[in-house]
């Protein structure tokens, strides 16, 4: 696996990054791509590893200089990045030299990649001398590098699943492995994003399911984005010991069963927050009733009526609050709800399906 130099780089401010010897402006991805660019366009003259020509100070029979090494042993490090770019864009022929121009052949991005490749051959010492010589502003900004890296890491995945479904890549504790959220799943990208693994990452030494940890935090974030006034709430009279979030549908038998047991949960100090989740979305059997419940003046009573299939007194579902029913469906899908009822403990842990109160209560509160 290739080393991603930029991981360290991003943690430093620009100033430190330039002063510290092992922190460079480019990412390993740029170096890898630069290697392709270099081998195809430059290696015939400058050598496979930018090492040619050894006798670069000696002119040939025509009085022309041979291609100089770009690996840090010649003069390339005397030029700032703009001059390096310009040399590659315009070549040396205009100035009586031999090197052809590349501006019509290579994009600015590819030129930077080629520079990243030959600079990766430079010793830390040479690199530090080079970066110390020039204004910091002449280097590509760290943000550009960061963005480019994000895009590079996810570029294969984006081609497969599209932009909109992907979160931005996050570094994991494992070197060169990145985590990306894809809807409600977590994908691990390896080898600069060429390979994806879908599943849970477990720290065996410490016995922690790292993916599950993430999943819980992000489920709680999504659920807690709803205010109580957006939802249907049942609160215990006494002290609240814990809160249970439930994605519910009025048309689901096990949701009705759970609903009947709410008084027991309240007695045990459990606050219940209902989020709407119409199985099957807007064409689902409970969708219209859920909208009606959300439009009712007394939602918790309307919910009880709806669960008893007593819908005569419910308002029609055309008010603005009924939009929460659509939002609840989106949120449910985001947090991995596949059926109702779907229960989320205060820790964010998901419990799939109905659990009788005798078992549910001890799962939620310490007694
Ligand atoms: C046909 C041979 C040839 C090719 C192909 C070529 N170069 Fe050059 N390059 C030269 C020569 C010769 C020089 C010295 C100046 C001159 O004669 O134009 C040079 C000079 C340079 C310099 C300035 C080095 C210094 O110490 O001042 C850089 C940077 C450079 N080349 C980069 C590249 C890159 C990057 C590529 C590929 C995209 C490339 N060259 C392709 C022949 C070549």
């Amino acid at each position: 696996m290739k080393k991603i130099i930029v991981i360290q780089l991003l943690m430093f401010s620009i100033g430190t990054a330039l002063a510290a010897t092992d922190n460079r402006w480019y990412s390993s991805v740029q170096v890898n791509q630069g290697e392709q660019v270099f081998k195809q366009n430059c290696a015939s003259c400058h050598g496979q590893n930018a090492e040619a020509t050894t006798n670069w100070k000696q002119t040939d029979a025509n009085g022309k200089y041979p291609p100089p090494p770009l690996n840090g042993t010649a003069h390339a490090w005397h030029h700032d990045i703009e001059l390096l770019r310009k040399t590659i864009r315009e070549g040396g022929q205009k100035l009586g030299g031999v090197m052809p121009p590349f501006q019509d052949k290579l994009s600015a991005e590819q030129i930077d990649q080629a520079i990243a490749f030959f600079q990766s051959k430079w010793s830390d010492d040479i690199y530090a001398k080079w970066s110390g010589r020039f204004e910091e502003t002449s280097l590509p900004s760290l943000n550009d590098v960061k963005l480019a890296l994000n895009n590079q890491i996810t570029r294969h995945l984006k081609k497969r699943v599209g932009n909109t479904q992907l979160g931005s890549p996050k570094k994991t504790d494992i070197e060169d492995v990145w985590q990306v959220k894809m809807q409600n799943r977590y994908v691990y990208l390896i080898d600069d994003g060429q390979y994806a693994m879908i599943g849970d990452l477990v720290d065996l030494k410490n016995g922690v399911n790292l993916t599950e940890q993430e999943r819980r935090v992000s489920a709680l974030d999504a659920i807690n984005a709803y205010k109580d006034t957006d939802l249907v709430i049942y609160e215990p009279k006494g002290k609240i010991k814990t809160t249970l979030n439930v994605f519910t549908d009025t048309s689901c038998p096990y949701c009705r069963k759970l609903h009947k047991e709410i008084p027991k949960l309240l007695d045990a100090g459990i606050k219940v927050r209902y989020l709407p989740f119409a199985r099957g979305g807007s064409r689902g059997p409970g969708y219209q009733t859920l909208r009606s419940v959300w439009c009712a003046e007394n939602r918790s009573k309307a919910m009880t009526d709806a669960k008893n299939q007593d819908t005569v007194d419910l308002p029609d579902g055309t008010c603005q609050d009924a939009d929460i029913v659509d939002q609840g469906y989106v949120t449910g899908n985001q947090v991995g709800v596949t059926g109702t009822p779907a229960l989320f403990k205060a820790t964010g842990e998901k419990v799939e399906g109905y659990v009788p109160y005798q078992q549910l209560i001890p799962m939620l509160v310490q007694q």
Side-chain angles (χ1 to χ4, degrees):
M1 232 173 271
K2 294 125 203 159
K3 195 166 158 52
I4 298 185
I5 298 159
V6 80
I7 293 170
Q8 295 135 8
L9 176 65
L10 297 178
M11 296 176 187
F12 293 89
S13 69
I14 285 218
T16 359
L18 291 182
T21 49
D22 58 344
N23 297 306
R24 304 195 175 192
W25 67 264
Y26 47 80
S27 70
S28 67
V29 178
Q30 283 169 304
V31 173
N32 291 342
Q33 294 187 329
E35 183 167 8
Q36 303 299 317
V37 175
F38 198 90
K39 297 221 148 124
Q40 280 163 22
N41 299 282
C42 327
S44 58
C45 295
H46 290 284
Q48 290 293 317
N49 288 301
E51 76 288 357
T53 315
T54 328
N55 284 334
W56 56 279
K57 285 184 183 157
Q58 215 141 30
T59 51
D60 66 11
N62 301 323
K64 305 259 191 200
Y65 283 100
L70 303 172
N71 62 1
T73 58
H75 280 160
W77 64 274
H78 291 225
H79 311 313
D80 73 7
I81 195 149
E82 250 327 305
L83 189 59
L84 291 173
R85 287 169 173 160
K86 189 169 168 345
T87 306
I88 300 166
R89 278 198 309 267
E90 299 177 2
Q93 292 166 353
K94 265 196 329 202
L95 304 167
V98 173
M99 173 157 150
F102 284 93
Q103 54 200 1
D104 295 331
K105 241 186 130 181
L106 298 177
S107 66
E109 206 184 343
Q110 287 173 312
I111 289 176
D112 278 1
Q113 288 164 353
I115 296 172
F117 171 71
F118 67 71
Q119 286 193 333
S120 73
K121 310 288 174 195
W122 296 5
S123 66
D124 286 342
D125 192 36
I126 292 288
Y127 185 87
K129 276 193 192 144
W130 174 75
S131 62
R133 279 170 85 103
F134 309 110
E135 287 292 297
E136 290 175 6
T137 49
S138 71
L139 291 178
S141 87
L142 273 187
N143 279 338
D144 288 350
V145 173
K146 199 169 164 182
L147 197 70
L149 178 69
N150 277 357
N151 289 334
Q152 296 292 2
I153 298 271
T154 52
R155 74 185 190 287
H156 295 302
L157 193 56
K158 274 179 189 155
K159 263 189 230 145
R160 306 276 159 215
V161 301
N163 264 338
T164 48
Q165 298 192 32
L166 294 182
S168 49
K170 217 174 121 178
K171 195 179 168 288
T172 65
D173 289 344
I174 310 164
E175 196 180 0
D176 295 353
V177 178
W178 297 76
Q179 180 195 59
V180 181
K181 195 165 189 289
M182 187 173 90
Q183 296 274 66
N184 63 329
R185 281 186 297 183
Y186 289 86
V187 179
Y188 293 90
L189 295 177
I190 303 168
D191 219 2
D192 296 334
Q194 165 145 21
Y195 299 99
M197 297 229 314
I198 300 173
D200 281 16
L201 187 66
V202 179
D203 175 345
L204 293 175
K205 189 166 154 223
N206 298 305
V208 184
N209 182 331
L210 300 168
T211 311
E212 177 60 19
Q213 249 177 6
E214 281 285 327
R215 198 179 282 127
R216 289 181 189 181
V217 170
S218 100
L220 277 186
D221 281 351
I223 287 169
N224 290 336
Y226 290 83
K227 298 189 295 269
D228 277 3
T229 48
D230 294 333
L231 303 178
V232 181
I233 304 291
Y234 299 93
E235 267 194 65
K237 290 211 182 68
K239 195 171 162 277
I240 298 174
K241 288 190 186 151
T242 188
T243 300
L244 177 69
N245 286 285
V246 181
F247 284 85
T248 195
D249 187 355
T250 48
S251 71
C252 113
Y254 279 104
C255 298
R256 286 189 206 126
K257 219 166 153 151
L258 181 73
H259 192 78
K260 288 213 171 69
E261 296 175 359
I262 281 191
K264 304 276 190 205
L265 303 180
L266 296 178
D267 286 347
I270 299 164
K271 172 178 169 180
V272 179
R273 297 172 91 226
Y274 269 154
L275 293 95
F277 187 84
R279 295 168 306 150
S282 59
R283 295 209 192 101
Y287 177 73
Q288 284 305 335
T289 314
L290 280 170
R291 288 184 71 95
S292 296
V293 168
W294 253 262
C295 291
E297 224 159 290
N298 183 344
R299 270 188 216 154
S300 50
K301 181 180 176 297
M303 180 62 88
T304 301
D305 290 346
K307 298 240 166 153
N308 292 331
Q309 289 173 295
D310 173 10
T311 54
V312 247
D313 292 337
L314 294 183
D316 67 8
T318 53
C319 69
Q320 207 175 2
D321 278 352
D323 290 348
I324 296 170
V325 175
D326 296 304
Q327 290 164 29
Y329 186 68
V330 174
T331 306
N333 280 310
Q334 256 170 27
V335 301
V337 172
T338 50
T340 49
L343 284 51
F344 285 82
K345 294 193 199 179
T347 54
E349 183 189 346
K350 181 171 68 165
V351 180
E352 207 99 46
Y354 166 78
V355 180
Y357 73 92
Q358 297 94 330
Q359 286 164 33
L360 184 58
I361 293 171
M363 281 168 67
L364 301 177
V365 287
Q366 308 281 357
Q367 284 174 326

